[in-house]
Amino acid sequence: MVPRRPLFFIAFAWMLGILLGREVSPWVSSLHIWLIVLGLLILASILYLFQYTQWPSAVLLLLTALGALVYSQARIPVEQLYPLLENLKSVRGIVVSYPDHRPERSSFVLQPPRWPGRLQIFYYHPNGEYELIDYGDELEIEARFEIPWEFEDFNYREYLLNRNIWGIGSLWSARQIQQKATHRGDVIWDWGYQTRRQIFELIDRSVSPAASGLLKGLLFGERAYLSEEVEASFRDAGVMHVLAVSGLNLGILLGLFWGTLRSFRFSVSQIYVSLIPLVFAYLLLVGFEVSLVRASLMFAFVTVGWVMAERSWILKDWIDPLQGLCAAALVICIWTPQALFDVSFQLSFAATAGIIMAVELALPLIQEQGERLRVRWNVASSLPKRVSFRLAELTVAFVLVSLAAQLAVAPILAYQFHRIYLGALLANLVVVPLATIALWLGVLVLIAATIFLDPVAVALGSIESAILISLMELARFFAQLPGAYVVIDRATQLASLVIMPLVLNLSTLLGIQLALSRMTPRNYFA
C-alpha cells in the first residue's frame, strides 16, 4: 500500500507561499494578502460545506496564501532600517547568540530593543586587548555600522537577512564596549552556554591542543578553534558536513546512547522517550542550528509515532520518515519563514530527502539481490562468510546513503558555492566512520573527566587525540587529490542546475515522480 503523505502537500504549499511572498512583497502590501487569504478561506469553506471534490485544492491555495502572509509579516523593513546605519555611532542591546571567540576576532549577534531584527557585531582584537563577552550580556558599544557586504561568489547580505540580521558593526578596542548588565538572555539558553563553556574546558584538559579544536567542531560545530588550513581541508575534501552538527552528528551520538540503553533491556519506546531530553540538551549546547533543529524535530515526530503505535493508537506503517521531514520543514518555516532561503536549511533537507528516497526505493532492491547472493554463495555455512557478507551489506548501504545525500545537494552546492565535490564519496567512506569513532570516544572522555576519573580520561584522551589528528591528516589527503572538487563559474551554473539533477540524481527524481504519481488529490487529507 502506498503511504499517504498529506504533510508533503501542506509543506509544499506553505513553502511555495513563502517563495511567492518574497517575490511580491516589494509591490503588494500585507493588506492585499490578507484579503486574498480571507477570500480563499471563504471559498474553501463553501466547497467543503457543499462537498465539492475541489475543496482540498482550495485549502492548499489557502495555505499558499498564508505562507506568503507570514513571510510578509516577518520580513524586516530594510528600506527603513538601512538609512539609519549611515549616522549610527553607538547602540545598546543584548547578546542573543553564543559568541564566537577566535584568536584575533570575536563575533556575536546583538538584539537592540528599539528596532526589529538584529545586528552582527565583529570585535577585532589582534593586539591582545580583549573584553570577554558572554551570551546574555547587555552591552553599549561604539562601532562603525554599515550595510552587510556582498561578495562576488556569495551574497552575505541575503545570508544575514535570512537570519533576521540587517546591519553589521565593527570595533577594534575594549574601550568601545561598556557592559551594562549580565544574564539578560533566556535562562535556558544561558544554561546551555555556560555548560558548553565547561565542556570546552574539559576538552582542553583531556585532549591535546592540536586535536581539541577538532573535537569541539565535531561535537558542537564550533569552528573558531580550527585553523584555516584544517577548515579548508574538510571543505575541499567534501566532508565539511561532519563539522556542521547536522543529523549525522546527532545520529552518531544517539547511536551510542541507543546501544547503551538497549544493553540494559530498554524497550524501543522507552529508549525513544529517554533520548528526548538528551536531544533537547544537545540543541541548547549547540545553539539551535537549522540542520540540528530539523533532525531533532524528525526524531521527536518518530518518537511520538512509535509510542502511539506501540499502544495500538496508530499503525506502525504510518510512521513515515518523509512525513516527519515534511513536518519538520513546516514547523521551521512557520516559526521562521526566511529559513527557507538559508543555505543550511536547503542542504539539510535536500540531503535528508535524498537519503529517504534512496532507502525507500533503492535499498529494498539491493536487499532482495543480497538475499539471492546469500543463498547462492551459501553464506550461512561458515562464520567468515557471514562476517564478510555482513560487512559488505553495511558498506553497500553506507555507499547508497552517502551517494544519495551528495547527489541531492550537488545542485545546491553548485549554485551557492560554485563547487561540485567529485571525491566526496571516497572521502566519506573513510572520514565518516573515523569521525564516528572520534565522537563516541570523545563522549567517553568527557564522561570520565566529569566523574573525576582522571587516569581514565587521560588514557582515553591520548587515544582520542591520535584519532583526531589522523582525521585531520585524512581530510588533508583527500582535499589534495586531483579532481577532489570542480569549480563552477557563473556561465555554467545554469547548466549544472538543469543537468546535474537529471544526470547525477536521476534515480531519486524518478523515485519522487513515481511516488507522487500514485498520490491522487483525494488522498491529500485522508
Side-chain angles (χ1 to χ4, degrees):
M1 182 179 67
V2 179
R4 295 174 176 178
R5 290 162 173 161
L7 285 178
F8 173 86
F9 297 98
I10 294 173
F12 179 81
W14 189 270
M15 290 188 287
L16 178 61
I18 294 174
L19 287 169
L20 292 175
R22 185 189 195 190
E23 296 300 321
V24 304
S25 56
W27 303 283
V28 179
S29 67
S30 296
L31 177 60
H32 292 99
I33 302 178
W34 268 111
L35 293 175
I36 293 174
V37 168
L38 182 60
L40 288 172
L41 178 61
I42 295 173
L43 174 63
S45 301
I46 293 173
L47 292 176
Y48 179 77
L49 288 174
F50 289 94
Q51 294 298 303
Y52 285 97
T53 57
Q54 294 85 0
W55 74 265
S57 299
V59 172
L60 293 178
L61 288 175
L62 174 62
L63 290 172
T64 301
L66 283 172
L69 178 63
V70 170
Y71 176 82
S72 67
Q73 296 292 323
R75 182 176 174 269
I76 300 175
V78 292
E79 300 83 0
Q80 304 172 22
L81 294 173
Y82 280 162
L84 298 176
L85 295 174
E86 297 180 2
N87 301 316
L88 187 63
K89 301 299 181 183
S90 66
V91 68
R92 183 168 179 166
I94 298 173
V95 179
V96 292
S97 70
Y98 293 170
D100 181 3
H101 295 303
R102 302 185 181 230
E104 295 188 349
R105 189 201 73 188
S106 298
S107 61
F108 54 91
V109 177
L110 199 70
Q111 175 72 71
R114 51 180 178 160
W115 294 319
R118 300 169 175 179
L119 298 172
Q120 175 70 59
I121 307 298
F122 293 104
Y123 171 27
Y124 300 92
H125 40 79
N127 298 323
E129 184 185 19
Y130 176 65
E131 178 72 24
L132 183 63
I133 296 167
D134 291 330
Y135 168 81
D137 285 354
E138 183 176 0
L139 307 175
E140 184 170 344
I141 62 172
E142 298 178 2
R144 185 188 70 191
F145 295 95
E146 54 191 327
I147 298 173
W149 318 300
E150 288 185 342
F151 302 101
E152 181 180 355
D153 295 331
F154 181 62
N155 193 336
Y156 186 55
R157 181 182 304 172
E158 192 67 24
Y159 169 81
L160 291 181
L161 278 176
N162 294 335
R163 293 171 178 253
N164 213 30
I165 299 172
W166 56 274
I168 289 178
S170 303
L171 57 144
W172 291 265
S173 172
R175 292 187 295 272
Q176 296 176 264
I177 302 175
Q178 295 183 38
Q179 187 183 71
K180 299 297 183 179
T182 59
H183 302 290
R184 293 293 305 276
D186 185 88
V187 175
I188 298 178
W189 277 65
D190 189 63
W191 173 88
Y193 178 70
Q194 298 301 330
T195 305
R196 173 189 172 108
R197 288 182 58 184
Q198 293 171 6
I199 293 175
F200 281 5
E201 293 175 1
L202 288 177
I203 292 175
D204 291 334
R205 292 205 311 263
S206 307
V207 182
S208 69
S212 62
L214 181 56
L215 183 55
K216 294 171 186 175
L218 291 173
L219 281 172
F220 303 106
E222 179 58 79
R223 298 196 288 270
Y225 301 92
L226 292 174
S227 67
E228 293 183 2
E229 179 188 359
V230 171
E231 194 171 346
S233 296
F234 279 85
R235 181 182 64 249
D236 295 343
V239 293
M240 194 67 176
H241 57 89
V242 301
L243 301 177
V245 189
S246 60
L248 172 66
N249 305 66
L250 180 63
I252 290 172
L253 292 174
L254 291 181
L256 174 63
F257 291 100
W258 185 287
T260 303
L261 294 176
R262 197 63 174 163
S263 66
F264 287 99
R265 302 185 181 279
F266 278 56
S267 69
V268 174
S269 291
Q270 289 173 333
I271 295 175
Y272 271 124
V273 173
S274 300
L275 291 179
I276 284 289
L278 178 64
V279 171
F280 182 70
Y282 191 49
L283 272 173
L284 286 175
L285 293 175
V286 171
F288 284 78
E289 290 294 327
V290 172
S291 55
L292 190 60
V293 171
R294 186 267 311 157
S296 302
L297 285 173
M298 285 190 67
F299 182 82
F301 288 128
V302 171
T303 298
V304 172
W306 192 274
V307 171
M308 293 176 68
E310 282 211 337
R311 283 157 176 75
S312 300
W313 295 344
I314 63 172
L315 297 175
K316 286 189 177 180
D317 291 342
W318 292 6
I319 306 174
D320 182 18
L322 188 57
Q323 283 276 85
L325 180 66
C326 294
L330 189 60
V331 170
I332 293 174
C333 288
I334 290 175
W335 186 261
T336 312
Q338 58 269 32
L340 179 62
F341 308 105
D342 190 88
V343 177
S344 62
F345 177 95
Q346 297 167 7
L347 292 174
S348 177
F349 279 87
T352 308
I355 292 172
I356 291 173
M357 298 306 299
V359 169
E360 286 194 357
L361 299 173
L363 191 58
L365 300 177
I366 295 174
Q367 290 174 338
E368 181 181 346
Q369 185 63 29
E371 289 301 320
R372 294 175 182 173
L373 293 176
R374 185 189 299 273
V375 174
R376 181 185 303 175
W377 294 344
N378 194 19
V379 172
S381 62
S382 67
L383 179 61
K385 281 187 177 181
R386 292 197 298 270
V387 173
S388 301
F389 197 83
R390 182 55 180 166
L391 289 175
E393 285 181 325
L394 292 175
T395 302
V396 170
F398 181 80
V399 170
L400 173 66
V401 168
S402 180
L403 183 61
Q406 291 169 46
L407 294 178
V409 302
I412 300 174
L413 293 173
Y415 177 76
Q416 297 284 4
F417 302 106
H418 315 293
R419 285 186 175 194
I420 295 178
Y421 295 94
L422 300 179
L425 179 61
L426 179 61
N428 276 279
L429 286 175
V430 180
V431 169
V432 171
L434 191 60
T436 300
I437 296 173
L439 276 170
W440 286 352
L441 187 57
V443 171
L444 296 179
V445 170
L446 292 175
I447 292 174
T450 302
I451 61 179
F452 305 107
L453 294 176
D454 291 339
V456 177
V458 170
L460 294 178
S462 300
I463 302 174
E464 175 74 350
S465 299
I467 293 175
L468 291 170
I469 292 174
S470 300
L471 197 56
M472 287 187 281
E473 292 298 326
L474 280 171
R476 186 178 295 110
F477 169 77
F478 286 112
Q480 293 174 351
L481 288 178
Y485 64 90
V486 175
V487 178
I488 299 179
D489 56 23
R490 290 185 178 274
T492 57
Q493 276 190 25
L494 181 60
S496 69
L497 287 173
V498 175
I499 297 174
M500 284 289 292
L502 297 176
V503 176
L504 297 179
N505 208 14
L506 184 59
S507 60
T508 301
L509 292 176
L510 289 176
I512 294 174
Q513 183 180 4
L514 176 63
L516 295 181
S517 66
R518 300 174 68 181
M519 300 179 195
T520 59
R522 69 189 82 180
N523 285 338
Y524 288 168
F525 303 101

